[in-house]
């Protein structure tokens, strides 16, 4: 049941296989399996080296882990307004930026992507990092690209209410080997196991103080089976949602949420 070793000659590989297949599905170089979406947020914030004195712009309406991950790193969450997609309003981001701003956290709430073109343009202009919180949008996409693959780093939740689930669980994705190494070290007591070292290719960091957010083989086995059903699940959800939208579209006084 422990992902790194155990009795018997066979090497535990369920979590490792899930990481490999999850990275491929999300069109990223790296994926890290963790115990929850909140753990994934903390690992991502640590990977980005957010800490005391830093400010992170987050939407004013989101799940509270978006804020607590920043607070637990010793940094300050700065709330920006949401737009008619119920996600971060690009028009309100720039006036929240200060010399201490380090990161924009784009949260894709309830299966709906934030306006990533505008958010990424602002981030590039001000040389800020972008973290995509895809906890509620596993399997969603923006202009054909999987959510989580557009920013510097992305996170997902596999808790019961999410698209695919093992009851609890989470994942971090990135294309940056240093961000992946730092997230992997943070989630495993600051160390880097041989498998993750081989994935990185050439480790570049020293040991540091980390947490313990390792996914077990039990969770990995369930998530691997769930991941292989993700496209089928998403393809079933979309026509159902479209049917509801069509059924209520002409109700007087009703305005549908904007879908970027």
């Amino acid at each position: 049941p422990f992902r790194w070793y155990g009795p018997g000659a066979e090497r535990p590989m369920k979590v490792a296989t899930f990481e490999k297949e999850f990275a491929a599905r999300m069109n990223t170089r790296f994926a890290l399996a963790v115990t929850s979406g909140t753990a994934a947020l903390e690992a991502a914030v640590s990977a980005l080296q957010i800490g005391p004195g830093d400010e992170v712009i987050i939407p004013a309406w989101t799940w509270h882990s978006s804020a607590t991950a920043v607070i637990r790193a010793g940094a300050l969450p700065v709330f920006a307004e949401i737009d008619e997609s119920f996600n971060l309003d690009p028009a309100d981001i720039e006036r929240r930026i200060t010399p201490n701003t380090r990161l924009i956290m784009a949260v894709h709430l309830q299966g709906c992507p934030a306006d990533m073109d505008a958010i990424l343009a602002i981030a590039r202009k001000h040389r800020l990092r972008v973290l995509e919180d895809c906890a509620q949008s596993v399997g969603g996409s923006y202009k054909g690209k999987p959510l989580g693959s557009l920013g510097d780093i992305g996170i997902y939740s596999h808790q019961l209410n999410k698209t695919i689930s093992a009851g609890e669980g989470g994942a971090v994705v990135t294309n940056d080997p240093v961000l992946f190494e730092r997230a992997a070290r943070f989630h495993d007591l600051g160390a880097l196991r041989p498998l993750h070292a081989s994935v990185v290719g050439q480790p570049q960091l020293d040991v540091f103080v980390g947490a313990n957010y390792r996914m077990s083989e039990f969770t990995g086995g369930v998530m691997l089976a769930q991941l292989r059903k993700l496209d089928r699940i998403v393809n079933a959800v979309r026509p159902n949602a479209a049917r509801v939208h069509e059924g209520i579209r002409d109700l007087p006084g009703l305005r549908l949420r904007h879908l970027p």
Side-chain angles (χ1 to χ4, degrees), residues 57 80-81 83 88-98 101-106 114-130 152:
I57 295 174
E81 290 297 340
D83 60 19
L88 194 59
D89 184 355
D92 196 51
I93 292 175
E94 280 198 276
R95 70 192 193 92
R96 310 290 176 178
I97 294 173
T98 76
T101 306
R102 293 278 306 283
L103 174 66
I104 299 171
M105 185 185 297
D115 186 351
M116 289 304 294
D117 283 349
I119 291 170
L120 290 169
I122 293 167
R124 283 191 293 269
K125 177 181 174 182
H126 295 275
R127 298 183 179 180
L128 301 174
R129 299 276 206 163
V130 174
D152 295 283

Side-chain angles (χ1 to χ4, degrees), residues 3-4 18 34 45 56 78 108 119 146 152 158 161 165 167 193 200 220 225 233 235-236 244 252:
R3 75 164 295 186
W4 294 123
F18 168 69
V34 295
V45 167
V56 178
V78 175
H108 308 298
I119 291 170
D152 295 283
H158 305 312
N161 296 320
S165 176
R193 305 278 178 166
V200 169
I233 292 168
N235 289 336
V244 172

Side-chain angles (χ1 to χ4, degrees), residues 16-147:
T17 305
F18 168 69
E19 288 175 335
K20 184 176 180 180
E21 292 191 16
F22 195 81
R25 172 59 180 78
M26 298 306 166
N27 197 26
T28 56
R29 287 181 63 190
F30 308 106
L32 176 70
V34 295
T35 51
S36 69
T38 301
L41 275 169
E42 292 193 13
V45 167
S46 175
L48 293 163
Q49 293 184 287
I50 301 300
D54 296 332
E55 295 178 2
V56 178
I57 295 174
I58 70 172
W61 187 61
T62 181
W63 179 250
H64 53 79
S65 294
S66 303
T68 59
V70 175
I71 293 166
R72 279 170 54 81
L76 183 70
V78 175
F79 296 101
E81 290 297 340
I82 59 172
D83 60 19
E84 291 190 353
S85 71
F86 299 167
N87 292 318
L88 194 59
D89 184 355
D92 196 51
I93 292 175
E94 280 198 276
R95 70 192 193 92
R96 310 290 176 178
I97 294 173
T98 76
N100 295 324
T101 306
R102 293 278 306 283
L103 174 66
I104 299 171
M105 185 185 297
V107 186
H108 308 298
L109 281 177
Q110 299 174 333
C112 179
D115 186 351
M116 289 304 294
D117 283 349
I119 291 170
L120 290 169
I122 293 167
R124 283 191 293 269
K125 177 181 174 182
H126 295 275
R127 298 183 179 180
L128 301 174
R129 299 276 206 163
V130 174
L131 189 165
E132 290 181 79
D133 181 342
C134 315
Q136 297 184 12
S137 299
V138 182
S141 57
Y142 178 84
K143 297 187 176 180
K145 295 181 180 179
L147 297 180

